[in-house]
Coordinates of all heavy atoms in Angstrom, one line a residue:
M1 N 18.8 8.8 -6.9 CA 17.8 7.8 -7.0 C 16.5 8.3 -6.2 O 16.7 8.6 -5.0 CB 18.3 6.5 -6.5 CG 17.3 5.4 -6.6 SD 18.1 3.9 -6.1 CE 16.7 2.8 -6.1
V2 N 15.4 8.3 -6.8 CA 14.2 8.7 -6.2 C 13.4 7.4 -5.9 O 13.1 6.6 -6.7 CB 13.3 9.6 -7.1 CG1 12.0 10.0 -6.4 CG2 14.1 10.8 -7.4
V3 N 13.0 7.3 -4.6 CA 12.2 6.1 -4.1 C 10.8 6.6 -3.9 O 10.6 7.5 -3.1 CB 12.8 5.5 -2.9 CG1 12.0 4.4 -2.4 CG2 14.3 5.0 -3.1
L4 N 9.9 6.1 -4.6 CA 8.5 6.5 -4.4 C 7.7 5.4 -3.8 O 7.8 4.2 -4.1 CB 7.9 6.8 -5.8 CG 8.5 8.0 -6.6 CD1 7.8 8.1 -7.9 CD2 8.4 9.2 -5.8
F5 N 6.9 5.7 -2.8 CA 6.1 4.8 -2.1 C 4.8 4.7 -2.8 O 4.4 5.6 -3.5 CB 5.9 5.1 -0.6 CG 7.3 5.1 0.1 CD1 7.9 6.2 0.4 CD2 7.8 3.9 0.5 CE1 9.1 6.2 1.1 CE2 9.0 3.8 1.2 CZ 9.7 5.0 1.5
H6 N 4.0 3.7 -2.5 CA 2.7 3.5 -3.2 C 1.8 4.7 -2.8 O 1.6 5.0 -1.6 CB 2.1 2.2 -2.7 CG 0.7 2.0 -3.3 ND1 0.6 1.8 -4.7 CD2 -0.5 2.0 -2.8 CE1 -0.7 1.6 -4.9 NE2 -1.4 1.7 -3.8
G7 N 1.3 5.4 -3.8 CA 0.4 6.5 -3.6 C 1.1 7.9 -3.5 O 0.5 8.9 -3.3
T8 N 2.5 7.9 -3.4 CA 3.2 9.1 -3.4 C 3.4 9.7 -4.8 O 4.0 9.0 -5.6 CB 4.6 8.9 -2.7 OG1 4.3 8.3 -1.4 CG2 5.3 10.2 -2.5
P9 N 2.9 10.9 -5.0 CA 3.1 11.4 -6.4 C 4.6 11.8 -6.6 O 5.2 12.3 -5.7 CB 2.2 12.6 -6.4 CG 2.0 13.0 -5.0 CD 2.1 11.8 -4.2
G10 N 5.1 11.5 -7.7 CA 6.4 11.9 -8.1 C 6.5 13.3 -8.7 O 5.4 14.0 -8.8
P11 N 7.6 13.8 -9.0 CA 7.7 15.2 -9.5 C 7.1 15.2 -10.9 O 7.4 14.3 -11.8 CB 9.2 15.5 -9.6 CG 9.9 14.1 -9.4 CD 8.9 13.2 -8.8
T12 N 6.2 16.2 -11.2 CA 5.6 16.2 -12.5 C 6.4 17.1 -13.4 O 7.3 17.9 -12.9 CB 4.2 16.8 -12.3 OG1 4.3 18.1 -11.8 CG2 3.3 16.0 -11.4
L13 N 6.1 17.0 -14.6 CA 6.9 17.8 -15.6 C 6.6 19.3 -15.4 O 7.6 20.1 -15.5 CB 6.4 17.4 -17.0 CG 7.1 18.2 -18.2 CD1 8.6 18.0 -18.2 CD2 6.5 17.8 -19.5
S14 N 5.4 19.7 -15.1 CA 5.1 21.1 -14.9 C 5.8 21.7 -13.7 O 6.3 22.8 -13.7 CB 3.6 21.4 -14.7 OG 3.1 20.8 -13.6
K15 N 5.9 20.9 -12.6 CA 6.7 21.4 -11.4 C 8.1 21.5 -11.7 O 8.8 22.4 -11.3 CB 6.4 20.4 -10.2 CG 5.1 20.5 -9.6 CD 5.0 19.6 -8.4 CE 3.6 19.6 -7.8 NZ 3.5 18.7 -6.7
T16 N 8.7 20.5 -12.4 CA 10.1 20.5 -12.7 C 10.4 21.7 -13.6 O 11.4 22.4 -13.4 CB 10.5 19.2 -13.4 OG1 10.2 18.1 -12.6 CG2 12.0 19.2 -13.7
L17 N 9.6 21.9 -14.6 CA 9.8 23.0 -15.6 C 9.7 24.4 -14.8 O 10.5 25.3 -15.0 CB 8.8 23.0 -16.7 CG 8.9 24.0 -17.8 CD1 10.3 23.8 -18.5 CD2 7.8 23.8 -18.8
T18 N 8.7 24.5 -13.9 CA 8.5 25.7 -13.2 C 9.7 26.0 -12.3 O 10.2 27.1 -12.2 CB 7.2 25.6 -12.3 OG1 6.1 25.4 -13.1 CG2 7.0 26.9 -11.5
R19 N 10.3 25.0 -11.6 CA 11.4 25.2 -10.8 C 12.7 25.6 -11.6 O 13.4 26.4 -11.2 CB 11.8 23.9 -10.1 CG 11.1 23.8 -8.7 CD 11.7 22.6 -7.9 NE 10.6 21.9 -7.4 CZ 10.3 20.6 -7.7 NH1 11.1 19.9 -8.4 NH2 9.3 20.0 -7.2
R20 N 12.8 25.0 -12.8 CA 14.0 25.3 -13.7 C 13.9 26.8 -14.2 O 14.8 27.5 -14.2 CB 14.1 24.4 -14.8 CG 14.4 23.0 -14.4 CD 14.6 22.1 -15.6 NE 16.0 21.7 -15.7 CZ 16.5 21.0 -16.6 NH1 15.7 20.6 -17.6 NH2 17.8 20.7 -16.6
I21 N 12.7 27.2 -14.5 CA 12.5 28.5 -15.0 C 12.7 29.5 -13.9 O 13.3 30.6 -14.1 CB 11.1 28.7 -15.7 CG1 11.0 27.9 -17.0 CG2 10.7 30.2 -15.9 CD1 9.6 27.9 -17.6
S22 N 12.2 29.2 -12.7 CA 12.4 30.1 -11.5 C 13.8 30.2 -11.2 O 14.3 31.3 -10.9 CB 11.6 29.6 -10.3 OG 10.2 29.6 -10.6
A23 N 14.6 29.1 -11.2 CA 16.0 29.2 -11.0 C 16.7 30.0 -12.0 O 17.6 30.8 -11.7 CB 16.6 27.8 -10.9
F24 N 16.4 29.9 -13.3 CA 17.0 30.6 -14.3 C 16.7 32.1 -14.2 O 17.6 32.9 -14.3 CB 16.5 30.2 -15.7 CG 17.0 31.0 -16.8 CD1 18.3 30.9 -17.3 CD2 16.2 31.9 -17.5 CE1 18.8 31.7 -18.3 CE2 16.6 32.6 -18.5 CZ 17.9 32.5 -18.9
V25 N 15.5 32.5 -13.9 CA 15.1 33.9 -13.7 C 15.9 34.5 -12.4 O 16.3 35.6 -12.5 CB 13.6 34.0 -13.5 CG1 13.2 35.4 -13.1 CG2 12.9 33.7 -14.8
G26 N 16.0 33.7 -11.4 CA 16.7 34.1 -10.2 C 18.2 34.4 -10.5 O 18.8 35.4 -10.1
R27 N 18.8 33.5 -11.3 CA 20.2 33.7 -11.7 C 20.4 34.9 -12.6 O 21.3 35.7 -12.4 CB 20.8 32.4 -12.4 CG 21.1 31.3 -11.4 CD 21.9 30.2 -12.1 NE 21.2 29.7 -13.4 CZ 20.4 28.7 -13.4 NH1 20.0 28.1 -12.3 NH2 19.9 28.3 -14.6
L28 N 19.4 35.1 -13.5 CA 19.5 36.2 -14.4 C 19.3 37.5 -13.6 O 20.0 38.5 -13.9 CB 18.4 36.1 -15.5 CG 18.3 37.2 -16.5 CD1 19.6 37.1 -17.3 CD2 17.2 36.9 -17.5
D29 N 18.4 37.6 -12.7 CA 18.2 38.7 -11.8 C 19.4 39.1 -11.0 O 19.8 40.2 -11.0 CB 17.0 38.5 -10.9 CG 16.7 39.6 -9.9 OD1 16.6 40.8 -10.4 OD2 16.7 39.4 -8.7
R30 N 20.1 38.1 -10.4 CA 21.3 38.4 -9.6 C 22.4 38.8 -10.5 O 23.2 39.7 -10.2 CB 21.7 37.1 -8.9 CG 20.8 36.8 -7.7 CD 21.4 35.7 -6.8 NE 21.4 34.4 -7.5 CZ 20.4 33.6 -7.6 NH1 19.2 33.9 -7.1 NH2 20.6 32.5 -8.3
S31 N 22.5 38.3 -11.8 CA 23.6 38.7 -12.6 C 23.4 40.1 -13.2 O 24.4 40.8 -13.4 CB 23.7 37.7 -13.8 OG 22.6 37.8 -14.7
L32 N 22.1 40.5 -13.3 CA 21.9 41.9 -13.7 C 22.3 42.9 -12.6 O 22.7 44.0 -13.0 CB 20.4 42.1 -14.0 CG 19.9 41.5 -15.3 CD1 18.4 41.6 -15.4 CD2 20.6 42.2 -16.5
C33 N 22.1 42.6 -11.4 CA 22.3 43.5 -10.3 C 23.5 43.3 -9.5 O 23.7 43.9 -8.4 CB 21.1 43.5 -9.4 SG 19.5 44.0 -10.2
V34 N 24.4 42.4 -9.9 CA 25.5 42.0 -9.0 C 26.5 43.2 -8.7 O 26.9 43.3 -7.6 CB 26.3 40.8 -9.6 CG1 27.0 41.2 -10.9 CG2 27.2 40.2 -8.6
D35 N 26.7 44.0 -9.7 CA 27.7 45.1 -9.5 C 27.1 46.1 -8.4 O 27.8 46.5 -7.5 CB 28.0 45.9 -10.8 CG 28.8 45.0 -11.7 OD1 29.5 44.1 -11.3 OD2 28.6 45.2 -12.9
Q36 N 25.8 46.5 -8.6 CA 25.2 47.5 -7.7 C 25.1 46.9 -6.3 O 25.3 47.5 -5.3 CB 23.8 47.9 -8.2 CG 23.9 48.7 -9.5 CD 24.0 47.8 -10.7 OE1 24.0 46.6 -10.7 NE2 24.1 48.5 -11.9
D37 N 24.7 45.6 -6.2 CA 24.5 44.9 -4.9 C 25.9 44.8 -4.2 O 26.0 45.0 -3.0 CB 24.0 43.5 -5.1 CG 22.5 43.5 -5.5 OD1 21.9 44.6 -5.5 OD2 22.0 42.4 -5.9
W38 N 26.9 44.5 -4.9 CA 28.3 44.4 -4.3 C 28.7 45.8 -3.8 O 29.3 45.9 -2.7 CB 29.3 43.9 -5.3 CG 30.7 43.8 -4.8 CD1 31.8 44.5 -5.1 CD2 31.1 42.9 -3.7 NE1 32.8 44.1 -4.4 CE2 32.5 43.2 -3.5 CE3 30.5 42.0 -2.9 CZ2 33.2 42.5 -2.5 CZ3 31.2 41.3 -1.9 CH2 32.5 41.6 -1.7
W39 N 28.5 46.8 -4.6 CA 28.9 48.2 -4.2 C 28.1 48.6 -2.9 O 28.7 49.1 -2.0 CB 28.6 49.2 -5.3 CG 29.0 50.6 -5.0 CD1 28.2 51.6 -4.8 CD2 30.3 51.1 -4.8 NE1 28.9 52.7 -4.5 CE2 30.3 52.4 -4.5 CE3 31.6 50.5 -4.9 CZ2 31.4 53.2 -4.3 CZ3 32.7 51.3 -4.7 CH2 32.6 52.6 -4.4
A40 N 26.8 48.3 -2.9 CA 26.0 48.6 -1.7 C 26.5 47.8 -0.5 O 26.5 48.4 0.6 CB 24.5 48.3 -2.0
H41 N 26.9 46.6 -0.7 CA 27.4 45.8 0.4 C 28.7 46.4 0.9 O 28.9 46.4 2.2 CB 27.6 44.3 -0.1 CG 28.3 43.5 0.9 ND1 27.6 43.0 2.0 CD2 29.6 43.0 0.9 CE1 28.5 42.2 2.7 NE2 29.7 42.2 2.1
L42 N 29.6 46.8 0.1 CA 30.8 47.4 0.5 C 30.6 48.7 1.3 O 31.3 49.0 2.2 CB 31.7 47.8 -0.7 CG 32.3 46.6 -1.4 CD1 33.1 47.0 -2.6 CD2 33.2 45.8 -0.5
L43 N 29.5 49.5 1.0 CA 29.2 50.7 1.7 C 28.4 50.4 3.0 O 28.2 51.4 3.7 CB 28.4 51.6 0.8 CG 29.1 52.2 -0.4 CD1 28.1 52.9 -1.3 CD2 30.2 53.1 0.0
G44 N 28.0 49.2 3.2 CA 27.2 48.8 4.4 C 25.7 49.2 4.3 O 25.0 49.3 5.3
W45 N 25.2 49.3 3.0 CA 23.8 49.6 2.8 C 23.0 48.4 2.9 O 23.4 47.2 2.7 CB 23.6 50.3 1.5 CG 24.2 51.7 1.4 CD1 25.0 52.3 2.2 CD2 24.0 52.6 0.3 NE1 25.4 53.5 1.8 CE2 24.7 53.7 0.6 CE3 23.2 52.5 -0.8 CZ2 24.7 54.9 -0.2 CZ3 23.2 53.6 -1.7 CH2 24.0 54.8 -1.3
K46 N 21.7 48.6 3.1 CA 20.7 47.5 3.1 C 20.2 47.4 1.7 O 19.8 48.4 1.1 CB 19.5 47.8 4.1 CG 20.0 47.9 5.5 CD 18.8 48.2 6.4 CE 19.2 48.4 7.8 NZ 18.0 48.8 8.7
V47 N 20.1 46.1 1.2 CA 19.6 45.9 -0.1 C 18.3 45.0 0.0 O 18.3 44.0 0.6 CB 20.6 45.2 -1.0 CG1 20.1 44.9 -2.4 CG2 21.9 46.0 -1.1
T48 N 17.2 45.5 -0.6 CA 16.0 44.8 -0.6 C 15.6 44.6 -2.1 O 15.5 45.5 -2.8 CB 14.9 45.6 0.1 OG1 15.3 45.9 1.4 CG2 13.6 44.8 0.2
R49 N 15.3 43.3 -2.4 CA 14.9 43.0 -3.8 C 13.4 43.3 -3.9 O 12.6 42.8 -3.1 CB 15.2 41.5 -4.1 CG 14.7 41.2 -5.5 CD 15.1 39.7 -5.8 NE 14.7 39.4 -7.1 CZ 13.6 38.6 -7.3 NH1 12.9 38.1 -6.4 NH2 13.3 38.3 -8.6
I50 N 13.0 44.2 -4.8 CA 11.6 44.5 -4.9 C 11.0 44.1 -6.2 O 9.8 44.3 -6.4 CB 11.4 46.0 -4.7 CG1 12.2 46.8 -5.7 CG2 11.7 46.5 -3.3 CD1 12.0 48.3 -5.7
G51 N 11.7 43.4 -7.1 CA 11.2 42.9 -8.3 C 12.3 42.4 -9.2 O 13.5 42.5 -8.8
F52 N 12.0 42.0 -10.4 CA 13.0 41.5 -11.3 C 13.9 42.7 -11.8 O 13.4 43.6 -12.4 CB 12.4 40.8 -12.5 CG 13.4 40.3 -13.5 CD1 14.1 39.2 -13.3 CD2 13.7 41.1 -14.7 CE1 15.1 38.7 -14.1 CE2 14.6 40.6 -15.6 CZ 15.3 39.5 -15.3
G53 N 15.1 42.6 -11.4 CA 16.1 43.7 -11.8 C 15.9 45.0 -11.0 O 16.4 46.0 -11.4
A54 N 15.1 44.9 -10.0 CA 14.8 46.1 -9.2 C 15.2 45.9 -7.7 O 14.9 44.9 -7.1 CB 13.3 46.5 -9.2
R55 N 15.9 46.9 -7.2 CA 16.4 46.8 -5.8 C 16.1 48.1 -5.1 O 16.0 49.2 -5.7 CB 17.9 46.6 -5.8 CG 18.4 45.3 -6.5 CD 18.1 44.1 -5.7 NE 18.8 42.9 -6.1 CZ 18.4 42.1 -7.1 NH1 17.3 42.3 -7.7 NH2 19.1 41.1 -7.4
D56 N 16.0 48.1 -3.8 CA 15.9 49.2 -3.0 C 17.1 49.3 -2.1 O 17.4 48.4 -1.3 CB 14.6 49.1 -2.1 CG 14.4 50.4 -1.2 OD1 14.8 51.5 -1.7 OD2 13.9 50.3 -0.1
Y57 N 18.0 50.3 -2.3 CA 19.2 50.5 -1.6 C 19.0 51.5 -0.5 O 18.5 52.6 -0.8 CB 20.3 50.9 -2.6 CG 20.6 49.9 -3.6 CD1 20.1 50.0 -4.9 CD2 21.3 48.7 -3.4 CE1 20.3 49.1 -5.9 CE2 21.6 47.8 -4.3 CZ 21.1 48.0 -5.6 OH 21.3 47.1 -6.6
R58 N 19.4 51.2 0.7 CA 19.1 52.1 1.8 C 20.4 52.2 2.7 O 20.9 51.2 3.1 CB 18.0 51.6 2.6 CG 17.7 52.5 3.8 CD 16.2 52.6 4.0 NE 15.9 53.5 5.1 CZ 15.7 54.8 5.1 NH1 15.9 55.4 3.9 NH2 15.5 55.5 6.1
D59 N 20.8 53.5 2.9 CA 21.9 53.7 3.9 C 21.3 53.7 5.3 O 20.4 54.5 5.6 CB 22.5 55.1 3.5 CG 23.8 55.4 4.3 OD1 24.0 54.6 5.3 OD2 24.5 56.3 4.0
P60 N 21.8 52.8 6.2 CA 21.2 52.7 7.5 C 21.4 54.0 8.4 O 20.7 54.1 9.4 CB 21.9 51.5 8.1 CG 23.0 51.1 7.2 CD 22.8 51.8 5.9
R61 N 22.3 54.9 8.0 CA 22.5 56.1 8.7 C 21.2 56.9 8.7 O 21.0 57.7 9.7 CB 23.7 56.9 8.2 CG 25.0 56.2 8.4 CD 26.1 57.0 7.8 NE 26.0 57.0 6.4 CZ 26.8 57.7 5.6 NH1 27.8 58.4 6.0 NH2 26.6 57.6 4.3
F62 N 20.4 56.8 7.7 CA 19.2 57.6 7.6 C 18.1 57.1 8.6 O 17.3 57.8 9.1 CB 18.6 57.6 6.2 CG 19.4 58.4 5.3 CD1 20.1 57.8 4.3 CD2 19.4 59.8 5.4 CE1 20.9 58.6 3.4 CE2 20.1 60.6 4.5 CZ 20.9 60.0 3.5
D63 N 18.3 55.8 9.0 CA 17.4 55.3 10.1 C 17.6 56.0 11.4 O 16.7 56.2 12.2 CB 17.6 53.8 10.3 CG 17.2 53.0 9.0 OD1 16.4 53.5 8.2 OD2 17.7 51.9 8.8
I64 N 18.9 56.3 11.7 CA 19.2 57.1 12.9 C 18.6 58.4 12.9 O 18.0 58.9 13.9 CB 20.8 57.2 13.1 CG1 21.4 55.8 13.3 CG2 21.1 58.1 14.2 CD1 22.9 55.7 13.2
L65 N 18.6 59.1 11.8 CA 18.0 60.4 11.7 C 16.5 60.3 11.9 O 15.9 61.2 12.6 CB 18.2 61.1 10.3 CG 19.7 61.4 10.0 CD1 19.8 61.9 8.5 CD2 20.1 62.5 10.9
H66 N 15.9 59.3 11.4 CA 14.4 59.1 11.6 C 14.1 58.9 13.1 O 13.2 59.4 13.6 CB 14.0 57.9 10.8 CG 12.5 57.6 10.9 ND1 11.5 58.4 10.4 CD2 11.8 56.6 11.5 CE1 10.4 57.9 10.7 NE2 10.5 56.8 11.3
L67 N 15.0 58.1 13.8 CA 14.8 57.9 15.2 C 14.9 59.2 16.0 O 14.2 59.4 17.0 CB 15.8 56.8 15.7 CG 15.5 55.4 15.3 CD1 16.7 54.5 15.7 CD2 14.2 54.9 15.8
I68 N 15.9 60.0 15.6 CA 16.1 61.3 16.3 C 14.9 62.2 16.2 O 14.4 62.8 17.1 CB 17.4 62.0 15.8 CG1 18.6 61.3 16.2 CG2 17.4 63.5 16.3 CD1 19.9 61.8 15.5
R69 N 14.3 62.2 15.0 CA 13.1 63.0 14.8 C 11.9 62.5 15.6 O 11.1 63.3 16.1 CB 12.7 63.0 13.3 CG 13.6 63.8 12.5 CD 13.1 64.0 11.1 NE 14.1 64.5 10.2 CZ 14.6 64.0 9.1 NH1 14.1 62.8 8.7 NH2 15.5 64.6 8.5
E70 N 11.8 61.2 15.8 CA 10.7 60.6 16.6 C 10.9 61.0 18.1 O 9.9 61.2 18.8 CB 10.7 59.1 16.5 CG 10.1 58.6 15.2 CD 10.1 57.1 15.1 OE1 10.5 56.4 16.0 OE2 9.6 56.6 14.1
V71 N 12.2 61.0 18.6 CA 12.4 61.3 20.0 C 12.1 62.7 20.4 O 11.4 63.0 21.3 CB 13.9 60.9 20.4 CG1 14.2 61.4 21.7 CG2 14.1 59.4 20.3
D72 N 12.6 63.6 19.6 CA 12.4 65.1 20.0 C 11.3 65.7 19.1 O 11.1 67.0 19.2 CB 13.7 65.8 19.9 CG 14.2 66.0 18.5 OD1 13.6 65.5 17.5 OD2 15.3 66.6 18.3
G73 N 10.6 65.0 18.3 CA 9.5 65.6 17.5 C 10.1 66.5 16.4 O 9.3 67.2 15.7
G74 N 11.4 66.4 16.1 CA 11.9 67.2 15.0 C 12.1 68.7 15.4 O 12.4 69.4 14.5
V75 N 11.9 69.0 16.6 CA 12.1 70.4 17.0 C 13.5 70.7 17.5 O 14.1 70.0 18.3 CB 11.1 70.8 18.2 CG1 11.3 72.2 18.6 CG2 9.7 70.5 17.7
R76 N 14.1 71.7 16.9 CA 15.5 72.1 17.3 C 15.4 73.5 17.9 O 14.7 74.4 17.4 CB 16.4 72.1 16.1 CG 16.6 70.8 15.5 CD 17.6 70.0 16.2 NE 17.8 68.7 15.6 CZ 17.8 67.5 16.3 NH1 17.6 67.5 17.6 NH2 18.0 66.4 15.6
T77 N 16.2 73.7 19.0 CA 16.2 75.1 19.6 C 17.6 75.7 19.4 O 18.5 75.0 19.2 CB 15.9 75.0 21.1 OG1 16.8 74.1 21.7 CG2 14.5 74.6 21.3

C-alpha cells in the first residue's frame, strides 16, 4: 500500500517502465555472463563489469608483479 501525502508525486509510468526495463537488462546481462563470472570467482580473479555482456577479468597475482616493478624499477641483476 502506497501512502501519498498532499503534494508528494507518486511513481509515474515512465519511472516504473524505466525501472522494469533496467531490471530486465540487468538480469539478462548476468545470465549471459554467469558461467564466466562463476569460473573467475572460483579462480579468485577480480571481475569488473564494463558494459552489457562485457567483463574485465583480472588475476590479482599480476598486481603483485606490478608492485615489484615499481619497487625496484624493473631492474634485475
Side-chain angles (χ1 to χ4, degrees):
M1 178 177 177
V2 177
V3 178
L4 299 176
F5 297 102
H6 181 66
T8 305
T12 61
L13 180 61
S14 64
K15 286 182 183 178
T16 304
L17 185 60
T18 302
R19 269 192 229 118
R20 293 182 111 185
I21 291 172
S22 295
F24 174 73
V25 169
R27 285 192 307 270
L28 185 61
D29 178 51
R30 286 188 298 276
S31 69
L32 285 173
C33 299
V34 69
D35 293 333
Q36 293 85 0
D37 290 350
W38 179 247
W39 182 250
H41 174 73
L42 290 176
L43 293 174
W45 290 12
K46 296 177 184 177
V47 179
T48 306
R49 180 176 180 257
I50 56 175
F52 179 77
R55 302 285 194 271
D56 183 30
Y57 299 101
R58 179 142 180 87
D59 188 346
R61 293 178 293 178
F62 289 109
D63 296 336
I64 295 170
L65 293 175
H66 181 68
L67 289 174
I68 291 171
R69 287 189 191 122
E70 285 181 359
V71 170
D72 69 359
V75 178
R76 297 279 182 227
T77 56

